Amino acid sequence: MLSSKYNKSIAQVVLRWLIQKEVVVIPKSAHMKRINENFNVFDFELSADDLTAIKSLAKGSGLIYSV
């Protein structure tokens, strides 16, 4: 699991993935712990293999579209 590999939460891995795809991310939380987690995504980078693995996951309907 990527979250274990990078010692980050799943949400942090997803935020980092979006940032590396150059998607503007505006995370929201009312919990201070999660707000801090949202900021702690700039101290690691997902490898090319991990980006490919995420891309190959099953796709449902979502809010991100290729442009």
Side-chain angles (χ1 to χ4, degrees), residues 1-16 36-46:
M1 183 173 245
L2 292 177
S3 60
S4 299
K5 177 180 177 179
Y6 291 100
N7 196 30
K8 298 290 182 179
S9 70
I10 293 170
Q12 287 173 303
V13 171
V14 171
L15 287 172
R16 185 65 212 182
N36 287 328
E37 281 184 357
N38 291 341
F39 282 109
N40 290 322
V41 296
F42 298 102
D43 60 346
F44 75 105
E45 235 181 72
L46 299 171

Side-chain angles (χ1 to χ4, degrees), residues 6 20 45-54:
Y6 291 100
Q20 284 184 231
E45 235 181 72
L46 299 171
S47 70
D49 289 340
D50 292 337
L51 292 171
T52 301
I54 292 170

Side-chain angles (χ1 to χ4, degrees), residues 15 17-26 63-65:
L15 287 172
W17 174 69
L18 290 168
I19 290 167
Q20 284 184 231
K21 289 183 59 66
E22 298 182 351
V23 174
V24 176
V25 180
I26 305 172
L63 300 175
I64 299 174
Y65 302 96

